[in-house]
Amino acid sequence: MEKKNIDWANLGFGYMQTDYRFVSNYKNGAWDDGCITEDATVVISECAGVLQYAQTVFEGLKAYTTSEGKIVIFRPDMNGERLENSARRLEMPVYPKDKFIEAVKKTVKANEAFVPPYGSGATLYVRPYMFGSDAVIGVKPASEYQFRVFTTPVGPYFKGGVKPLTIRVSDFDRAAPNGTGHIKAGLNYAMSLHAIVDAHNQGYDENMYLDAATRTKVEETGGANFLFVTRDGKVVTPKSSSILPSITRRSLIQVAQEYLGLEAEEREVTLEEVKDMAECGLCGTAAVISPVGKIVDHGKEICLPSGMTEMGPVTKKLYETLTGIQMGTIKAPEGWIVEIN
């Protein structure tokens, strides 16, 4: 299929409407078969559950053009499983993982002309989401839902190259113990908006949230997991029941162990020990890894030895290996890459 006439090299990280999207509706206790449509509008009741009580969950993944010219998606089964868990937590009907993967594949295939070419630095971002669509005025789950998948071509998350971030230890709490921090619910991101705007106004790139119970342990940022490298080269990620199980983070741990021969572990990380780390990064779908150069704890600066000019050496190896797997230049573990035929 001929590609759209888009200036791929200068794409930003924003929304561009593509030609097709997938839509499926849940009614009378069952999901319909769903279909690909050109209609980008969503029509729901003014009293819809999503508008009244924020009953919505979502996912994010990417489609890539590999070095061999194939269009692929990265570990969609894990996105499907996470959406299932998110739906259960908000008392929404589960959209089955196998149907989720097929819907994503159909949507990417339909928008093949929008998948950026290999080497452009751009990708096709894929956003599956689900919401309560019928009228709900009492505080209870909706009875009807809509599942949709749209796509948008996006450029690199960091235009002009990756520069280490400066983040602050936030006074706001992201999620409570036994709350919804471990699922990808829209409400989690809504409550983080004030904190990130406030951080930006204060000159910081992001927030470091601590655990709400003791405020001594590192959790995550508003939209990414933390990854640390110790001074003896061990990769460490924070463990908590109230942070999102990032697919990128879990993939990086496996890459560290199996591709780079590094020791890697998921464990509780205290704020006190961050000053002794050699490298720090934020990991997620959008940027894979965003390096952190400085963490400010209420005026006290923690400057990572990796510095403020580039990624640390271990972080860079992790980044290059995972992106190489995604782009087809490095052999992927079994099942990680799904080709769009």
Side-chain angles (χ1 to χ4, degrees):
M1 179 182 290
E2 185 178 349
K3 297 294 185 182
K4 295 289 184 177
N5 184 23
I6 294 172
D7 185 3
W8 305 108
N10 290 305
L11 272 178
F13 198 87
Y15 173 74
M16 176 188 295
Q17 184 175 314
T18 55
D19 291 341
Y20 302 100
R21 64 273 315 135
F22 180 88
V23 181
S24 177
N25 290 289
Y26 180 91
K27 192 173 183 178
N28 298 323
W31 289 103
D32 64 21
D33 291 336
C35 66
I36 293 291
T37 177
E38 295 182 38
D39 189 358
T41 59
V42 177
V43 180
I44 53 177
S45 167
E46 64 181 352
C47 194
V50 62
L51 301 179
Q52 305 308 316
Y53 304 117
Q55 204 180 12
T56 178
V57 294
F58 70 98
E59 278 298 323
L61 62 160
K62 287 180 176 180
Y64 312 82
T65 301
T66 70
S67 57
E68 297 178 340
K70 298 176 180 177
I71 296 175
V72 301
I73 48 179
F74 182 70
R75 309 192 76 176
D77 57 319
M78 296 190 77
N79 292 95
E81 288 175 9
R82 194 166 63 182
L83 190 78
E84 288 183 343
N85 292 333
S86 296
R88 291 188 186 100
R89 181 62 178 81
L90 291 193
E91 287 297 326
M92 303 170 75
V94 167
Y95 196 80
K97 179 177 70 174
D98 57 339
K99 293 183 69 173
F100 172 95
I101 294 171
E102 282 306 308
V104 168
K105 290 169 68 174
K106 285 179 181 177
T107 311
V108 172
K109 180 65 176 177
N111 292 295
E112 188 177 352
F114 287 93
V115 181
Y118 175 76
S120 64
T123 54
L124 186 73
Y125 190 83
V126 184
R127 171 54 58 86
Y129 61 112
M130 186 199 309
F131 54 88
S133 56
D134 66 326
V136 179
I137 196 64
V139 181
K140 63 180 182 178
S143 58
E144 296 179 9
Y145 296 84
Q146 191 167 100
F147 169 79
R148 300 177 69 97
V149 183
F150 71 79
T151 62
T152 181
V154 296
Y157 197 74
F158 296 104
K159 296 292 285 185
V162 177
K163 293 290 187 293
L165 308 175
T166 298
I167 65 177
R168 70 170 183 183
V169 175
S170 180
D171 289 326
F172 296 101
D173 292 327
R174 177 189 161 271
N178 303 313
T180 58
H182 63 294
I183 66 169
K184 206 165 177 65
L187 57 92
N188 292 340
Y189 295 81
M191 60 73 56
S192 75
L193 296 178
H194 174 68
I196 190 61
V197 169
D198 184 65
H200 289 167
N201 289 340
Q202 299 298 323
Y204 301 101
D205 297 301
E206 254 293 1
N207 289 291
M208 171 184 279
Y209 291 107
L210 304 178
D211 72 296
T214 71
R215 298 200 56 78
T216 61
K217 302 166 190 172
V218 176
E219 294 256 294
E220 63 168 279
T221 69
N225 282 187
F226 278 101
L227 180 146
F228 296 98
V229 180
T230 64
R231 291 179 189 262
D232 58 357
K234 182 188 295 183
V235 177
V236 177
T237 61
K239 182 177 183 178
S240 168
S241 62
S242 57
I243 65 175
L244 188 74
S246 164
I247 294 163
T248 303
R249 189 242 317 151
R250 286 178 281 173
S251 301
L252 286 166
I253 288 290
Q254 192 169 334
V255 164
Q257 294 170 327
E258 298 179 6
Y259 284 74
L260 303 180
L262 299 173
E263 190 175 346
E265 65 176 347
E266 181 187 6
R267 63 168 173 81
E268 290 186 345
V269 176
T270 65
L271 177 60
E272 176 62 26
E273 66 182 297
V274 170
K275 68 180 185 303
D276 297 320
M277 296 295 183
E279 301 175 35
C280 175
L282 309 180
C283 51
T285 299
V288 182
I289 304 179
S290 311
V292 174
K294 184 190 298 184
I295 300 166
V296 181
D297 179 12
H298 300 86
K300 182 174 67 178
E301 293 188 353
I302 301 171
C303 297
L304 280 300
S306 51
M308 292 298 296
T309 57
E310 59 185 6
M311 281 188 176
V314 175
T315 304
K316 187 175 182 181
K317 285 180 183 178
L318 287 167
Y319 174 84
E320 290 175 345
T321 305
L322 186 57
T323 54
I325 289 169
Q326 292 171 334
M327 294 296 179
T329 59
I330 296 175
K331 183 175 174 57
E334 183 77 23
W336 278 26
I337 301 297
V338 176
E339 186 174 343
I340 305 298
N341 299 310

